[in-house]
Amino acid sequence: MCGIVGFVGKRQAAPILLDGLSKLEYRGYDSAGLAIRNGDEPAEVVKSKGRLKVLSEKTDNGNALIGNCGIGHTRWATHGEPSRTNAHPHVSGNCTGTGSGEVESEVVGVHNGIIENFKELKEKLMKHGYLFYSQTDTEVVIKLVDYYYKKYTHSPQEAIAKTMVRVRGSYALCLMFKSHPGEIWVARKDSPMIIGISDGETYVASDVPAILKYTRNVYYIGNLEMAKLTPGEVTFYNLDGDVIEKELTEIKWDAESAEKGGYEHFMMKEIHEQPKAITDTLNSLIKDEKIDIDSIGLSNDEVRNISQIYIVACGSAYHTGVVTQYVMEDIAKIPVRVELASEFRYRKLLLDKNGLVIIVSQSGETADSLAALRLAKDKGIKTLAIVNVVGSSIAREADNVLYTLAGPEIAVATTKAYSAQLIAGYLLAIQFAYIKNEIAEEYYKNLIKELYTLPQKIEKVLEDKERIQWFVAKQANAQDVFYIGRGIDYAVCLEGSLKMKEISYVHSEAYAAGELKHGTISLIEDGTLVIGVLTQSELYEKTVSNMVECKSRGAYLMGLTSYGHYEIEDTADFTVYIPKTDEHFTASLAVIPLQLMGYYLSVSRGLDVDKPRNLAKSVTVE
Ligand code: M6R
């Protein structure tokens, strides 16, 4: 969690840093801070509790802070409550933590990640006379850098390298040294960080949107690497202090995609970007009416050898895995297990040597998913990552990568990345089935053709959004919502329910429709909203029966089904229809009204849709 930024160049740093932080607020938003240097003068540190807005107001949008070099941070608390004292930047001096210690401090820094052995290091530093003002692990790491800097050669590079060897955990660190004006030093392990370069200016950030307005030319800094940033230049070092060469990468995302573009919230904008995310992802993998998996490095022989697939992910990415499981098993006839990364990484795994582990992640930085990937690699199992963020840790470490082309996703609640992940899953299932001769050429071609109709069908669902808004307005006081469905519909329920709870704070549960009567049905009372998802013809009647069971206990029923199943209106109190498609792909359409429901309920309750409480976009801690 947390977003970090840094800038050194010709212009005033603070407004640029605040602008960058505003693009990273999705990563954390309980406090924020800046440290700015004006030439040789010590850093001026300003911090505040609460949203970035508070910091912006306090500094006159950054204009009050003079200097061309600086670092900034927006926090999602891990160690220590959200407060001004615990907000970053932290300084190495023995100050009160209210921003007065910077004058005597050699080191000032911001950090994203978790230092696991911070307690032991804190004790060691206290014995050396260091006093601590905050509860954060970050203050410990800043003071450790200071300790090594003073103990050894007064070289930032050596002090940081020694610190990196000593700390355990994850970090993206951004530091300034009082004795080295005009320089920013960065170091990274297991937390994201990119470095951007433009004419005479250098930027560092946790994620691309923060710098996209200024440059598209970026370097990816590797694990256990450091860099010195000066205006328009970067020098990379490994742990031994050797200079390492890096290739500059051009980011293809355009700056507009990281802006709201006239929508009130990023989430609504991203909901509307789903047709494009799908088309772009399809186009990147379909060449001459065939799915090109060579481009992701999988050969036909390798595919034929796969005896078991493990899909490992968290949250919504996990939900797309559940959909893929149904589709893959049905058409490619390969057994699939879908695993929560946080469980997978600690289980006593009996992995099949001819298995394929597929890690699904929008950010490519989710700590549990990354750990699961590493575990699979350690066990010698082939890995494939389905990732949205180019150059992210998971993308770089997996044997093979399939990029979803959803573009930058800013709202904490995922929508377009989810949709693109579904497409990635369908494409793999269809191609694996084709390679294994499980489906005939004609069906193969029809499936691909059908995939291309999904964007336009999503547009059609979106045309009806006011009707959903109207329905949701009537449900504004809902306490509990239940989502029920079978097969792929159950997988859609998982996502619909998560969308509801994460942004509307309404308790909701997704249940395999047949399972409700094994206990949970006792929660249904007069007026409880139960949403039945019924897009699978074979299971349709069964789910209707389960909806009727709920109705007899007082539930208020909403049905979500495909056009043609009009008889649902005999049972449901309110119905939403989606266009017909191949039933393997209905999740792509059925999820749209459920995303809209979560969105509208959140808006009607006056909540912060894009930045729901307690959450962060990418979960880079365990
Ligand atoms: O970046 P990832 O796809 O690995 O993130 C996984 C989950 O944290 C993410 O899907 C989360 O559940 C979203 N908030 C759901 O909207």
Side-chain angles (χ1 to χ4, degrees), residues 554-600:
Y556 185 78
L557 294 183
M558 172 179 143
L560 173 54
T561 186
S562 308
Y563 284 108
H565 284 297
Y566 303 119
E567 66 288 353
I568 191 66
E569 296 191 24
D570 299 337
T571 309
D573 301 292
F574 178 74
T575 309
V576 174
Y577 294 103
I578 55 166
K580 279 204 156 82
T581 183
D582 183 288
E583 288 188 4
H584 295 103
F585 308 148
T586 52
S588 292
L589 304 180
V591 76
I592 309 292
L594 303 185
Q595 293 170 343
L596 290 169
M597 287 184 75
Y599 174 84
Y600 284 126

Side-chain angles (χ1 to χ4, degrees), residues 311 313 316-326 336-338 360 421-422 491:
I311 301 177
S316 297
Y318 168 84
H319 299 159
T320 70
V322 181
V323 176
T324 303
Q325 176 186 41
Y326 285 111
V336 180
R337 290 185 65 131
V338 195
V360 189
Q421 286 163 358
L422 284 181

Side-chain angles (χ1 to χ4, degrees), residues 314-318 360-366 369 394 412-415 421 495 498-499 502 615-619:
C314 303
S316 297
Y318 168 84
V360 189
S361 175
Q362 186 284 129
S363 61
E365 300 292 348
T366 301
S369 305
I394 292 174
V412 166
T414 182
T415 51
Q421 286 163 358
E495 180 60 8
L498 182 60
K499 289 285 94 75
E502 71 178 328
L615 290 175
K617 179 76 180 159
S618 77
V619 184

Side-chain angles (χ1 to χ4, degrees), residues 242-397:
D242 304 325
V243 171
I244 41 181
E245 295 301 325
K246 294 258 168 199
E247 258 181 45
L248 204 57
T249 306
E250 197 196 336
I251 299 287
K252 303 278 192 245
W253 294 353
D254 59 273
E256 265 173 35
S257 47
E259 305 289 342
K260 279 191 204 150
Y263 288 93
E264 201 183 332
H265 300 102
F266 278 110
M267 183 176 174
M268 191 47 117
K269 174 178 173 250
E270 289 160 6
I271 286 175
H272 281 83
E273 285 173 345
Q274 291 179 104
K276 181 171 181 328
I278 290 177
T279 308
D280 289 350
T281 306
L282 287 173
N283 286 343
S284 75
L285 275 169
I286 298 175
K287 307 268 154 17
D288 301 327
E289 296 178 15
K290 293 239 152 102
I291 300 163
D292 171 25
I293 58 163
D294 282 354
S295 62
I296 55 172
L298 280 178
S299 71
N300 288 4
D301 281 345
E302 279 173 321
V303 171
R304 282 187 205 101
N305 264 334
I306 299 170
S307 47
Q308 171 78 51
I309 291 175
Y310 307 90
I311 301 177
V312 189
C314 303
S316 297
Y318 168 84
H319 299 159
T320 70
V322 181
V323 176
T324 303
Q325 176 186 41
Y326 285 111
V327 180
M328 183 73 79
E329 291 192 334
D330 191 41
I331 65 173
K333 313 287 182 227
I334 304 175
V336 180
R337 290 185 65 131
V338 195
E339 307 259 1
L340 291 165
S342 52
E343 289 295 309
F344 180 86
R345 62 182 292 193
Y346 293 117
R347 279 229 324 277
K348 306 282 176 264
L349 289 165
L350 301 171
L351 292 180
D352 184 332
K353 284 280 168 216
N354 294 321
L356 172 70
V357 171
I358 303 179
I359 307 284
V360 189
S361 175
Q362 186 284 129
S363 61
E365 300 292 348
T366 301
D368 286 321
S369 305
L370 182 59
L373 168 72
R374 289 179 180 160
L375 187 82
K377 286 186 77 178
D378 280 353
K379 290 186 178 286
I381 313 293
K382 194 164 180 59
T383 57
L384 165 68
I386 297 178
V387 171
N388 195 44
V389 176
V390 176
S392 54
S393 302
I394 292 174
R396 280 185 288 160
E397 292 188 29

Side-chain angles (χ1 to χ4, degrees), residues 141-162:
V141 84
I142 302 297
K143 288 187 168 161
L144 191 63
V145 173
D146 181 74
Y147 168 77
Y148 285 128
Y149 181 81
K150 288 174 178 155
K151 182 170 178 187
Y152 296 107
T153 55
H154 284 225
S155 139
Q157 179 268 311
E158 276 193 44
I160 297 170
K162 289 208 155 52

Side-chain angles (χ1 to χ4, degrees), residues 453-482:
T453 69
L454 292 176
Q456 185 225 328
K457 288 175 180 169
I458 290 177
E459 303 278 10
K460 176 118 181 78
V461 180
L462 288 172
E463 276 169 21
D464 214 15
K465 64 177 190 250
E466 277 78 17
R467 199 167 156 266
I468 291 168
Q469 185 176 16
W470 168 83
F471 175 69
V472 167
K474 295 181 9 158
Q475 302 296 326
N477 296 322
Q479 303 278 328
D480 306 285
V481 183
F482 291 85

